[in-house]
Amino acid sequence: MKNLLSFTRKAAAVVLGLACFAQAAQADALADIKARKKVLIAIDLGAPPFGMTNARLEPQGSDVETARLLAKDMGVELEIVQVTGPNRIPFLMTGKADMVISSFSITPERQKVVAFTQPYGASQFVVAAPRSENIKSLNDLHGKRVAVVRGNMQDTLLTPIAPKGTNIVRFDDDATVTAAIISGQVDALCTPNSLASAIAKQNPSKNLETKFAIKDIPYAIGLRKGEPALEKWLNEWITANLKNGKLPGIYQQWVGSPMPDLAQFAPK
């Protein structure tokens, strides 16, 4: 009886293993994309200069141009799946998008859930506020209302280091954070420097300026785990387009400054 039970358990384990192997073998997002002749790329269009819309409500920005270049080189049609910061991962994991190109910062927490390519850019996260606000360092945030996107990189960077007495006000996306600083609902915001510059340029009467930097964070293309073919293709594509200058050129065009040296983020 004991031998039979042991055999049954081993057989069940083998069957389960074969089922998992079969499922893994069937999962090939790259083949699926090429078969459908369309790639679904999640982009936040409320995060200038990475993603936004023009006066005709057409998508534009550095991540939009990156996605267009990728789709062209892959030989497929591009479909932009509009997301916000907090729902980028849910849209990816539920199959609503094949990948995320949305200034998607690489963090240990996200790496537990999704796979990342090598970086194709980087953001410097800063605290920005109107010129009239006397803010020069973290300690000056005491008593201030500081806007962040809930659960996003600016939240996870600022919250652990903000001095006691800082009122961190969380919003659902960059668009509502922008509205809050423009309307005077908050005193400052924590955001990528490129977004702070874009907000300042679009709203010159607010005299918004960068007060101090917090950290440089690389961002990459996010994809579901267990997709080696797609990950390999994307990494080779990023390497080639960093070398030929196309990705740095897109960054320069939309962010308005040279791309940070990505070598600083290479594994030690």
Side-chain angles (χ1 to χ4, degrees), residues 29-76:
L30 180 60
D32 292 342
I33 291 167
K34 291 186 175 181
R36 98 163 72 98
K37 299 181 180 179
K38 179 190 291 185
V39 60
L40 311 177
I41 300 183
I43 304 177
D44 184 352
L45 296 179
F50 303 104
M52 50 192 168
T53 54
N54 60 21
R56 296 186 296 276
L57 300 181
E58 298 166 333
Q60 62 179 23
S62 63
D63 280 334
V64 173
E65 291 306 316
T66 298
R68 285 173 176 155
L69 178 63
L70 186 151
K72 179 182 176 182
D73 290 347
M74 193 177 275
V76 296

Coordinates of all heavy atoms in Angstrom, one line a residue, residues 29-76:
A29 N 5.0 34.9 -26.1 CA 4.4 36.2 -26.5 C 4.9 36.8 -27.8 O 4.1 37.4 -28.5 CB 4.6 37.2 -25.3
L30 N 6.2 36.6 -28.1 CA 6.7 37.1 -29.3 C 6.1 36.4 -30.5 O 5.7 37.1 -31.5 CB 8.2 36.8 -29.4 CG 9.0 37.3 -30.6 CD1 8.8 38.8 -30.8 CD2 10.5 36.9 -30.6
A31 N 5.9 35.1 -30.5 CA 5.2 34.4 -31.6 C 3.7 34.9 -31.7 O 3.2 35.1 -32.8 CB 5.2 32.9 -31.4
D32 N 3.1 35.1 -30.5 CA 1.7 35.6 -30.6 C 1.6 37.0 -31.2 O 0.7 37.3 -32.0 CB 1.1 35.7 -29.1 CG 1.0 34.3 -28.5 OD1 0.9 33.3 -29.3 OD2 0.8 34.2 -27.3
I33 N 2.5 37.9 -30.9 CA 2.5 39.2 -31.4 C 2.7 39.2 -32.9 O 2.0 39.8 -33.7 CB 3.7 40.1 -30.8 CG1 3.4 40.3 -29.3 CG2 3.9 41.4 -31.5 CD1 4.6 40.9 -28.5
K34 N 3.7 38.4 -33.4 CA 3.9 38.3 -34.8 C 2.7 37.6 -35.6 O 2.4 38.0 -36.7 CB 5.2 37.5 -35.1 CG 6.4 38.3 -34.6 CD 7.7 37.7 -35.0 CE 8.9 38.6 -34.6 NZ 10.2 37.9 -35.0
A35 N 2.1 36.7 -34.9 CA 0.9 36.0 -35.5 C -0.2 37.0 -35.7 O -0.9 37.0 -36.7 CB 0.5 34.8 -34.7
R36 N -0.5 37.8 -34.7 CA -1.6 38.7 -34.7 C -1.2 40.0 -35.5 O -2.1 40.8 -35.8 CB -2.1 39.1 -33.3 CG -1.6 40.3 -32.7 CD -2.4 40.8 -31.5 NE -2.2 39.9 -30.3 CZ -1.3 40.2 -29.3 NH1 -0.6 41.3 -29.4 NH2 -1.2 39.4 -28.3
K37 N 0.1 40.2 -35.8 CA 0.6 41.3 -36.5 C 0.3 42.6 -35.9 O 0.1 43.7 -36.5 CB 0.1 41.3 -38.0 CG 0.5 40.1 -38.8 CD -0.1 40.1 -40.2 CE 0.3 38.9 -41.0 NZ -0.2 38.9 -42.3
K38 N 0.3 42.6 -34.5 CA 0.0 43.8 -33.7 C 0.6 43.6 -32.4 O 0.5 42.5 -31.8 CB -1.5 44.0 -33.6 CG -1.9 45.2 -32.8 CD -3.4 45.3 -32.5 CE -4.1 45.5 -33.8 NZ -5.6 45.7 -33.4
V39 N 1.3 44.6 -31.8 CA 1.8 44.6 -30.5 C 1.0 45.6 -29.6 O 0.7 46.7 -30.0 CB 3.3 44.9 -30.5 CG1 3.6 46.3 -31.0 CG2 3.9 44.8 -29.1
L40 N 0.6 45.1 -28.5 CA -0.2 45.9 -27.5 C 0.8 46.5 -26.5 O 1.3 45.7 -25.6 CB -1.2 45.1 -26.9 CG -2.1 44.2 -27.8 CD1 -3.1 43.4 -27.0 CD2 -2.9 45.1 -28.8
I41 N 1.0 47.8 -26.5 CA 2.0 48.4 -25.6 C 1.3 49.3 -24.6 O 0.6 50.3 -25.1 CB 3.1 49.1 -26.4 CG1 3.8 48.1 -27.3 CG2 4.1 49.8 -25.4 CD1 5.0 48.7 -28.0
A42 N 1.4 49.1 -23.3 CA 0.8 49.9 -22.3 C 1.7 51.2 -22.1 O 2.9 51.1 -21.9 CB 0.7 49.2 -21.0
I43 N 1.0 52.4 -22.2 CA 1.7 53.7 -22.1 C 0.8 54.6 -21.3 O -0.4 54.7 -21.6 CB 2.0 54.3 -23.4 CG1 2.9 53.4 -24.3 CG2 2.7 55.6 -23.2 CD1 3.2 53.9 -25.7
D44 N 1.3 55.3 -20.3 CA 0.6 56.3 -19.6 C 0.7 57.6 -20.4 O 1.7 58.2 -20.5 CB 1.2 56.5 -18.2 CG 0.5 57.5 -17.3 OD1 -0.5 58.2 -17.8 OD2 0.8 57.6 -16.1
L45 N -0.5 58.1 -20.9 CA -0.5 59.3 -21.7 C -0.8 60.5 -20.9 O -1.1 61.6 -21.4 CB -1.6 59.1 -22.8 CG -1.3 58.0 -23.8 CD1 -2.4 58.0 -24.9 CD2 0.1 58.2 -24.5
G46 N -0.6 60.4 -19.6 CA -0.8 61.5 -18.7 C 0.5 61.8 -18.0 O 0.5 62.4 -16.9
A47 N 1.6 61.5 -18.6 CA 2.9 61.7 -17.9 C 3.9 62.3 -18.9 O 4.9 61.6 -19.3 CB 3.5 60.3 -17.4
P48 N 3.7 63.6 -19.2 CA 4.7 64.2 -20.1 C 6.0 64.4 -19.5 O 6.1 64.5 -18.3 CB 4.0 65.6 -20.4 CG 3.2 65.8 -19.2 CD 2.7 64.5 -18.8
P49 N 7.1 64.3 -20.3 CA 7.2 64.2 -21.7 C 7.3 62.8 -22.2 O 7.5 62.6 -23.4 CB 8.5 65.0 -22.0 CG 9.4 64.6 -20.9 CD 8.5 64.6 -19.7
F50 N 7.0 61.8 -21.3 CA 7.1 60.4 -21.7 C 5.9 60.0 -22.5 O 6.0 59.3 -23.6 CB 7.3 59.5 -20.5 CG 8.5 59.9 -19.7 CD1 8.4 60.6 -18.5 CD2 9.8 59.6 -20.2 CE1 9.5 60.9 -17.8 CE2 10.9 59.9 -19.4 CZ 10.8 60.6 -18.2
G51 N 4.7 60.4 -22.0 CA 3.5 60.0 -22.7 C 2.5 61.1 -22.5 O 2.3 61.6 -21.4
M52 N 1.8 61.6 -23.6 CA 0.9 62.7 -23.5 C 0.1 62.7 -24.8 O 0.3 61.9 -25.7 CB 1.6 64.0 -23.3 CG 2.7 64.3 -24.2 SD 3.7 65.7 -23.6 CE 5.1 65.5 -24.7
T53 N -0.8 63.7 -25.0 CA -1.5 63.8 -26.2 C -1.4 65.3 -26.7 O -1.2 66.2 -25.9 CB -3.0 63.5 -26.1 OG1 -3.6 64.3 -25.0 CG2 -3.2 62.0 -25.8
N54 N -1.4 65.5 -28.0 CA -1.3 66.8 -28.5 C -2.7 67.5 -28.7 O -3.7 66.9 -28.2 CB -0.6 66.8 -29.9 CG -1.3 66.0 -30.9 OD1 -2.5 65.7 -30.9 ND2 -0.5 65.6 -32.0
A55 N -2.8 68.6 -29.3 CA -4.0 69.4 -29.4 C -5.1 68.6 -30.2 O -6.3 68.8 -30.0 CB -3.8 70.7 -30.1
R56 N -4.7 67.6 -31.0 CA -5.6 66.8 -31.8 C -5.8 65.5 -31.1 O -6.4 64.5 -31.6 CB -5.0 66.5 -33.2 CG -4.9 67.8 -34.0 CD -4.5 67.5 -35.5 NE -3.2 66.9 -35.5 CZ -2.1 67.6 -35.5 NH1 -2.1 68.9 -35.5 NH2 -0.9 67.0 -35.6
L57 N -5.4 65.4 -29.8 CA -5.6 64.2 -28.9 C -4.8 63.0 -29.5 O -5.2 61.9 -29.2 CB -7.1 63.9 -28.7 CG -7.9 65.0 -28.1 CD1 -9.4 64.5 -27.9 CD2 -7.3 65.4 -26.7
E58 N -3.8 63.3 -30.2 CA -2.9 62.2 -30.7 C -1.8 61.9 -29.7 O -1.2 62.8 -29.2 CB -2.3 62.6 -32.1 CG -3.4 62.8 -33.2 CD -2.8 63.5 -34.4 OE1 -1.8 64.3 -34.2 OE2 -3.4 63.4 -35.5
P59 N -1.5 60.6 -29.5 CA -0.4 60.3 -28.6 C 0.9 60.8 -29.0 O 1.3 60.8 -30.2 CB -0.4 58.7 -28.6 CG -1.8 58.3 -29.1 CD -2.1 59.4 -30.1
Q60 N 1.7 61.3 -28.1 CA 3.1 61.7 -28.4 C 3.9 61.6 -27.1 O 3.4 61.4 -26.0 CB 3.1 63.1 -29.0 CG 2.6 64.2 -28.0 CD 2.7 65.6 -28.6 OE1 2.7 65.7 -29.8 NE2 2.7 66.6 -27.8
G61 N 5.2 61.8 -27.3 CA 6.1 61.7 -26.1 C 7.2 60.7 -26.4 O 7.2 60.0 -27.4
S62 N 8.2 60.7 -25.5 CA 9.4 59.8 -25.7 C 9.0 58.3 -25.7 O 9.5 57.5 -26.5 CB 10.5 60.1 -24.7 OG 10.0 59.8 -23.4
D63 N 8.1 57.9 -24.8 CA 7.7 56.5 -24.7 C 6.9 56.1 -25.9 O 6.9 55.0 -26.4 CB 7.0 56.2 -23.4 CG 8.0 56.0 -22.3 OD1 9.1 55.6 -22.5 OD2 7.6 56.2 -21.1
V64 N 6.1 57.1 -26.4 CA 5.2 56.8 -27.6 C 6.1 56.6 -28.8 O 5.9 55.7 -29.6 CB 4.3 58.0 -27.8 CG1 3.5 57.8 -29.1 CG2 3.2 58.1 -26.7
E65 N 7.1 57.5 -28.9 CA 8.1 57.3 -30.1 C 8.9 56.1 -30.0 O 9.2 55.4 -31.0 CB 9.0 58.6 -30.2 CG 8.2 59.8 -30.6 CD 7.4 59.7 -31.9 OE1 7.9 59.1 -32.8 OE2 6.3 60.1 -31.9
T66 N 9.3 55.7 -28.7 CA 10.0 54.4 -28.5 C 9.1 53.2 -28.9 O 9.6 52.3 -29.6 CB 10.4 54.3 -27.0 OG1 11.3 55.4 -26.7 CG2 11.1 53.0 -26.8
A67 N 7.9 53.3 -28.6 CA 6.9 52.2 -28.9 C 6.7 52.1 -30.4 O 6.7 51.0 -31.0 CB 5.6 52.4 -28.2
R68 N 6.6 53.3 -31.1 CA 6.5 53.3 -32.5 C 7.7 52.7 -33.2 O 7.6 51.9 -34.2 CB 6.2 54.7 -33.0 CG 4.8 55.2 -32.7 CD 4.6 56.7 -33.0 NE 3.2 57.1 -32.8 CZ 2.9 58.3 -32.5 NH1 3.8 59.3 -32.5 NH2 1.6 58.6 -32.4
L69 N 8.9 53.1 -32.7 CA 10.1 52.5 -33.3 C 10.2 51.0 -33.1 O 10.5 50.3 -34.1 CB 11.3 53.2 -32.7 CG 12.7 52.7 -33.2 CD1 12.9 53.0 -34.6 CD2 13.8 53.4 -32.3
L70 N 9.8 50.5 -32.0 CA 9.8 49.1 -31.7 C 8.9 48.3 -32.6 O 9.3 47.3 -33.2 CB 9.5 48.9 -30.2 CG 9.6 47.4 -29.7 CD1 9.9 47.5 -28.2 CD2 8.3 46.6 -29.9
A71 N 7.6 48.8 -32.7 CA 6.7 48.2 -33.6 C 7.1 48.1 -35.0 O 7.0 47.1 -35.7 CB 5.3 48.9 -33.5
K72 N 7.7 49.2 -35.5 CA 8.2 49.3 -36.9 C 9.3 48.2 -37.1 O 9.3 47.5 -38.1 CB 8.8 50.7 -37.2 CG 9.3 50.8 -38.6 CD 9.9 52.2 -38.8 CE 10.6 52.4 -40.1 NZ 11.2 53.7 -40.3
D73 N 10.3 48.2 -36.1 CA 11.4 47.2 -36.3 C 10.9 45.8 -36.1 O 11.5 44.8 -36.7 CB 12.4 47.5 -35.2 CG 13.2 48.8 -35.5 OD1 13.0 49.3 -36.7 OD2 13.9 49.3 -34.6
M74 N 9.8 45.6 -35.4 CA 9.3 44.2 -35.2 C 8.4 43.8 -36.4 O 8.1 42.7 -36.6 CB 8.4 44.2 -33.9 CG 8.0 42.8 -33.5 SD 7.1 42.7 -31.9 CE 8.5 42.7 -30.7
G75 N 8.0 44.8 -37.2 CA 7.3 44.6 -38.4 C 5.8 44.3 -38.1 O 5.1 43.6 -38.9
V76 N 5.3 45.0 -37.1 CA 3.9 44.8 -36.7 C 3.2 46.2 -36.5 O 3.9 47.2 -36.3 CB 3.7 43.9 -35.4 CG1 4.2 42.5 -35.7 CG2 4.4 44.5 -34.2

